[in-house]
């Protein structure tokens, strides 16, 4: 292979260096864009979700909290709802639940990358719960790993939970719920189907 000289500049080497100077920043920008797309596709990060209410945890319950306890054994979690920690051997299948579910089963589902939405049933009427169910149904149809369950144990109206994260909401915020799910779904230590 041999470069052909550019007749306008008189010598091929000069043109080649000029071309490299012009395309270098473009290649660098394309490389950064590709890295950003790959990062987003691999579970995202909190930098994509900017909500001051988000609480993130990086401790023994998220790094070494994958221990199984016997089914039926209750765990004393650091937060209610939990964001990680020991859990039952069998995960709760993703879905919509009318009754309270054990945190120990949901934590295992979150370990597999699911997002859980807990709502306080004493706060919301049947019409509002129907809105939660519609959103959850759509997310599940679209293939998202999602659990919707009531919980009288939570101290807030709504809490979203994923492995290592909690977000408390005072009211139903569909856009926030969808953004949280899109950002943190699949971000558990084991990315397994729900």
């Amino acid at each position: 292979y041999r470069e052909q000289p550019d007749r306008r500049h008189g010598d091929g080497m000069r043109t080649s260096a000029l071309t490299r100077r012009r395309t270098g920043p473009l290649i660098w920008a394309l490389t950064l864009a590709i890295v950003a797309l790959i990062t987003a596709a691999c579970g995202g990060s909190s930098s994509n979700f900017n909500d001051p209410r988000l609480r993130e945890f990086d401790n023994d319950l998220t790094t070494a909290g994958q221990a199984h306890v016997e089914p039926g054994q209750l765990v004393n979690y650091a937060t209610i709802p939990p964001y990680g920690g020991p859990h039952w051997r069998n995960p709760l299948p993703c879905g919509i639940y009318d009754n309270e579910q054990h945190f120990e089963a949901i934590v295992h589902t979150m370990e597999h990358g699911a997002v859980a939405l807990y709502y306080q049933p004493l706060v919301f009427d049947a019409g509002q719960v129907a809105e939660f169910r519609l959103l959850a149904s759509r997310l599940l149809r679209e293939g998202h790993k999602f659990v919707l369950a009531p919980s009288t144990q939570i101290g807030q109206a709504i809490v979203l939970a994923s492995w290592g994260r909690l977000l408390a909401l005072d009211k139903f915020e569909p856009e926030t719920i969808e953004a949280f799910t899109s950002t943190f779904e699949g971000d558990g230590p084991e990315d397994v189907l729900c």
Side-chain angles (χ1 to χ4, degrees):
Y1 172 76
R2 190 167 65 97
E3 287 186 341
Q4 293 296 320
D6 183 340
R7 303 284 180 223
R8 289 178 294 170
H9 297 289
D11 103 28
M13 297 305 282
R14 181 172 169 212
T15 303
S16 181
L18 181 62
T19 303
R20 280 194 302 272
R21 277 193 304 250
R22 287 183 182 161
T23 59
L26 177 62
I27 291 170
W28 181 250
L30 286 172
T31 302
L32 288 176
I34 291 168
V35 168
L37 287 171
I38 291 170
T39 300
C42 293
S45 72
S46 59
S47 64
N48 298 335
F49 185 84
N50 295 319
D51 192 311
R53 300 170 292 183
L54 179 67
R55 293 176 56 201
E56 295 188 273
F57 305 88
D58 184 13
N59 56 33
D60 287 345
L61 295 179
T62 56
T63 58
Q66 296 173 279
H68 290 161
V69 298
E70 291 301 315
Q73 180 182 343
L74 299 181
V75 176
N76 185 20
Y77 288 109
T79 62
I80 299 295
Y83 55 82
H87 49 269
W88 291 349
R89 189 177 350 267
N90 297 322
L92 182 73
C94 288
I96 299 169
Y97 295 88
D98 294 324
N99 300 314
E100 293 197 40
Q101 301 298 309
H102 289 279
F103 292 134
E104 293 80 4
I106 296 175
V107 168
H108 194 161
T109 307
M110 290 167 32
E111 179 189 39
H112 290 182
V115 169
L117 185 153
Y118 300 95
Y119 65 91
Q120 176 55 262
L122 305 174
V123 172
F124 298 102
D125 63 31
Q128 292 167 313
V129 172
E131 289 181 58
F132 304 161
R133 293 176 65 85
L134 280 174
L135 175 60
S137 292
R138 184 172 56 78
L139 291 170
L140 289 162
R141 268 194 322 274
E142 292 172 356
H144 292 283
K145 298 176 183 181
F146 197 81
V147 173
L148 174 68
S151 177
T152 56
Q153 298 180 56
I154 63 173
Q156 298 84 11
I158 296 171
V159 179
L160 286 161
S162 70
W163 193 263
R165 295 174 188 87
L166 295 172
L167 179 67
L169 304 175
D170 294 327
K171 64 186 187 330
F172 182 55
E173 299 177 30
E175 296 83 15
T176 302
I177 294 165
E178 290 182 64
F180 184 95
T181 302
S182 295
T183 304
F184 301 119
E185 175 192 34
D187 212 17
E190 298 176 8
D191 195 8
V192 179
L193 293 178
C194 216

